[in-house]
Amino acid sequence: MNATSELHAALIPQDQVSTLVDPQAYADGRIFETYRWLRKHKPLGLAVAEGFDPFWVVTRAEDIRYISRHNDLFHSGDTQFSFMDRASDQRIREITGGSPHLVHSLVSMDPPEHMKYRVLTQGYFMPKSLRKLEAQIRDIACEFVEKMLSTGGECDFLTEVALNYPLRVIMSIFGVPIEDEAIMLKLTQELFGAQDPDVSGAADVLSAEAQAEYLARTVEGFHEYFRTLSDARRENPRDDLSSVIANAKVDGQPISEQAEMGYYITVATAGHDTTSTSTAIAMAQLARHPHEFQKVKSDPSLIPGLVDEAIRWATPIKSFMRSAAEDIDVSGQRLSKGDWIMLCYGSGNRDESVFDAPDSFRVDRSPNPYISFGHGPHICLGMHLAKLEMRILFEELLPRLKSVELNGHLKMIPSLFISGPKALPIRFALE
Ligand code: HEM
């Protein structure tokens, strides 16, 4: 086959492509049909969609791991690392003067720069260091559990607990006061919710250009907030993450303000929304599956299993993008230098060659090699923290609950990047 006919053979049919680029498909679950089809028929297919640059779609867990592991061959920084239409990409490049990234951060760095910056805080997020924070996190969890239980039997679990608990944890790790939570919550929701009129406050879905401008304003809001914090920590360092970032050096030199801001924004946003979503989905699944609820309730040693299964099920980050740094074969498919690649974590998490009954939610699933945190050198820096937060919350909550059920519709935020529930109405009975 010559190169043209090879590319033609790799093309994904338009009906499947339409689902891949439809934010609503990620909210209502239609995406899973498309993922299933792709894993079976075109595990490494080429999508051509109007308004987007062509992109390769990687749906098998093994291929996602291979590409993630080789960050010298597949770059995070040369193109957008989150899936984005061409007009937004162009607008961002206009705003930044050529860079595809509004924020210079770990997620968009490549070797050798990436590791130099990652090690600055990596130790802070390792299980051994996190043990020191366990009592502090448990106090926060208990506060939220009491708040929820005081509602008397009906609440929106998202607003009462899931949304603000991880935020409170990340704020306490940064060492900033509770009063600043509202601004941080607003900025995070704006960063990930530009496609949702409920978040942007617009009458309709914003145009690509308007979205890019909206994002740039949000990033500036983050900068204003963190600049003040960083200056304070340089003057008076404390035992918190902000002081680590504010005083960080690479190659013996203080890091640039841009890199510093990128660090704060990535940790603040990545550390919050994703964990909120996973916590909410854990509760939603327990409410939907009384049998699984009883299982984990009667055997608390299954709580880490509940946490893992909820993170697999939720897959809060739908995909990250890479680009090929050279011409390369992946699973027999030729990719060319510069090609844009979508790693579909939600598909890897339902890959039937890896998971037994992937469409069932099982708190005792073992092994559970889910890929929601990515894989390889960019694997989530906060994965141990996210799991710790969720474990502690359910350790405190489950002994108090006799039963839980959904009390209304679970509506999800439509987004191509990070999406979670908009609300999670539940009804519960106490022990
Ligand atoms: C990276 C998911 C929680 C901070 C990532 C990546 C994924 C991910 C998929 C990989 C990016 C890539 O390969 O390009 C999640 C999920 C979470 C979660 C599903 C919760 C359930 C957290 C928390 C924090 C955090 C709690 C911080 C407190 C980061 C950072 C990176 C990252 C800084 C960039 C790492 C790098 O590029 O080296 N996360 N994350 N995340 N995450 Fe998380």
Side-chain angles (χ1 to χ4, degrees):
M1 244 196 293
N2 65 28
T4 313
S5 45
E6 210 180 300
L7 276 183
H8 199 258
L11 282 177
I12 297 172
Q14 273 315 305
D15 55 337
Q16 307 291 0
V17 174
S18 308
T19 312
L20 281 168
V21 300
D22 176 4
Q24 198 56 49
Y26 294 78
D28 61 27
R30 273 178 297 127
I31 191 64
F32 290 111
E33 279 301 315
T34 286
Y35 283 157
R36 195 173 302 124
W37 188 93
L38 288 168
R39 282 194 303 275
K40 187 164 179 200
H41 300 287
K42 284 211 194 303
L44 229 160
L46 182 62
V48 178
E50 200 180 326
F52 292 83
D53 283 340
F55 56 100
W56 292 93
V57 184
V58 186
T59 44
R60 284 190 184 157
E62 195 187 332
D63 292 333
I64 297 173
R65 284 183 190 277
Y66 175 82
I67 292 173
S68 303
R69 205 163 44 241
H70 294 96
N71 69 332
D72 50 341
L73 301 174
F74 301 96
H75 283 176
S76 301
D78 299 346
T79 51
Q80 294 295 344
F81 60 79
S82 65
F83 185 53
M84 195 178 281
D85 55 83
R86 194 182 298 123
S88 302
D89 175 49
Q90 280 169 359
R91 188 71 194 106
I92 287 176
R93 287 172 195 268
E94 277 164 32
I95 292 170
T96 61
S99 163
H101 313 297
L102 282 170
V103 176
H104 185 58
S105 79
L106 281 187
V107 264
S108 62
M109 289 181 188
D110 290 308
E113 185 190 32
H114 171 249
M115 241 341 127
K116 290 184 185 181
Y117 281 84
R118 186 165 164 118
V119 294
L120 296 175
T121 59
Q122 191 161 251
Y124 197 94
F125 288 105
M126 284 294 130
K128 200 166 142 234
S129 319
L130 293 177
R131 245 173 260 143
K132 283 190 293 192
L133 300 174
E134 199 166 328
Q136 191 182 335
I137 295 176
R138 196 171 293 278
D139 284 347
I140 302 176
C142 288
E143 220 181 284
F144 277 91
V145 168
E146 292 308 330
K147 191 166 156 264
M148 169 185 160
L149 299 187
S150 71
T151 61
E154 281 187 13
C155 74
D156 176 0
F157 184 77
L158 189 77
T159 47
E160 288 300 332
V161 182
L163 211 53
N164 290 299
Y165 166 60
L167 179 64
R168 178 79 52 86
V169 171
I170 205 77
M171 299 293 276
S172 75
I173 286 177
F174 274 136
V176 296
I178 291 180
E179 302 83 79
D180 293 1
E181 263 174 29
I183 166 117
M184 198 51 56
L185 184 62
K186 181 168 171 287
L187 288 169
T188 308
Q189 289 179 334
E190 284 174 4
L191 195 68
F192 296 134
Q195 289 158 347
D196 184 354
D198 283 356
V199 173
S200 68
D204 204 344
V205 175
L206 291 176
S207 70
E209 287 209 349
Q211 276 185 38
E213 271 155 32
Y214 179 83
L215 283 176
R217 274 199 305 279
T218 304
V219 168
E220 190 41 45
F222 273 114
H223 275 219
E224 275 170 28
Y225 180 83
F226 284 121
R227 217 176 274 135
T228 315
L229 176 65
S230 225
D231 289 346
R233 290 302 187 274
R234 261 189 294 276
E235 249 173 60
N236 292 307
R238 294 194 203 162
D239 185 19
D240 57 26
L241 183 64
S242 310
S243 302
V244 177
I245 297 173
N247 297 289
K249 288 186 174 168
V250 163
D251 296 333
Q253 296 299 318
I255 60 174
S256 68
E257 179 177 295
Q258 204 200 13
E260 203 180 295
M261 294 303 131
Y263 231 118
Y264 282 115
I265 295 174
T266 307
V267 172
T269 54
H272 164 210
D273 234 36
T274 48
T275 316
S276 294
T277 293
S278 304
T279 305
I281 292 295
M283 181 51 90
Q285 290 301 94
L286 291 178
R288 279 173 173 152
H289 303 285
H291 181 62
E292 297 298 305
F293 174 76
Q294 285 309 332
K295 245 197 254 175
V296 64
K297 193 169 157 51
S298 57
D299 179 1
S301 75
L302 289 176
I303 291 177
L306 161 68
V307 169
D308 284 330
E309 184 68 340
I311 296 172
R312 178 183 80 93
W313 199 261
T315 317
I317 298 187
K318 308 303 153 205
S319 63
F320 265 114
M321 307 300 288
R322 298 289 192 268
S323 63
E326 53 189 68
D327 295 354
I328 188 163
D329 283 342
V330 180
S331 287
Q333 179 63 58
R334 187 81 177 151
L335 307 189
S336 302
K337 183 176 174 176
D339 280 359
W340 205 30
I341 304 161
M342 176 188 259
L343 306 177
C344 299
Y345 300 129
S347 177
N349 279 340
R350 302 278 180 118
D351 187 332
E352 36 298 273
S353 72
V354 176
F355 296 97
D356 181 30
D359 297 327
S360 303
F361 182 84
R362 297 176 176 170
V363 294
D364 52 359
R365 181 179 287 284
S366 175
N368 193 350
Y370 61 92
I371 192 145
S372 311
F373 290 119
H375 177 72
H378 280 280
I379 193 167
C380 178
L381 191 64
M383 61 185 276
H384 302 296
L385 174 64
K387 294 206 285 183
L388 179 71
E389 279 175 54
M390 290 177 66
R391 170 172 68 71
I392 290 175
L393 180 75
F394 285 100
E395 278 172 1
E396 295 300 327
L397 182 56
L398 288 179
R400 312 280 299 273
L401 286 185
K402 193 168 174 183
S403 62
V404 59
E405 59 184 344
L406 288 181
N407 187 23
H409 187 56
L410 176 64
K411 210 170 162 201
M412 304 288 284
I413 295 170
S415 166
L416 293 170
F417 184 35
I418 299 189
S419 75
K422 267 186 180 173
L424 175 50
I426 54 166
R427 189 179 298 129
F428 57 90
L430 297 181
E431 276 295 359

